[in-house]
Amino acid sequence: SVHLSLDYLPLEPMLELVDDPAKTACKQLLNENRALFEAAPGSRHNHQAWVGGYLDHVVDGMNYARHLYALDTAIGRPMPFSLSDALLIFFLHDLEKPWRILARADGTLGNASGFENKAAFKAFRERKLADMGLVLTPAQHNALTYVEGEGDAYSSSARVMNELAAFCH
């Protein structure tokens, strides 16, 4: 029988589970943008579309990832990536949202200028990673690219999304 602890961790202790240098870069990003992150909605109109929804989504997802990883490893499932990798990707996967989603005067939420499509979202995340001085491994980069699915890159004859991306997806 396997016993799992189902505690819920806030963001700061969760980031402590990420390996350096990513941990230090993520903590600095959070500290420099805390007010923005705490106010940002997590979506324009779907899940977490409320003030603070962005951080709610990130913290919830990191907790889900931590528990699923613990369950998978406890039952003996081989994991070709670390918990640190999964937490890092989940922390970064919607990084553009605090800058992208803006409240309009009428109370609705919309995209800021320059965030017209998923390619623009990805380009922003890549710039933020460069600004942070954070270089992802090829496996982490694949996961961040495909965490929301393969989209137009989908192939029925070749694997696109790696195990880390699939886990975080």
Side-chain angles (χ1 to χ4, degrees), residues 130-143:
D131 292 347
M132 294 167 64
L134 185 56
V135 178
L136 300 180
T137 67
Q140 292 167 341
H141 190 268
N142 175 281

Side-chain angles (χ1 to χ4, degrees), residues 117-140:
N117 54 46
K118 288 192 179 277
F121 306 169
K122 181 180 187 236
F124 181 88
R125 284 191 303 270
E126 296 284 338
R127 284 192 307 275
K128 269 297 179 204
L129 292 176
D131 292 347
M132 294 167 64
L134 185 56
V135 178
L136 300 180
T137 67
Q140 292 167 341

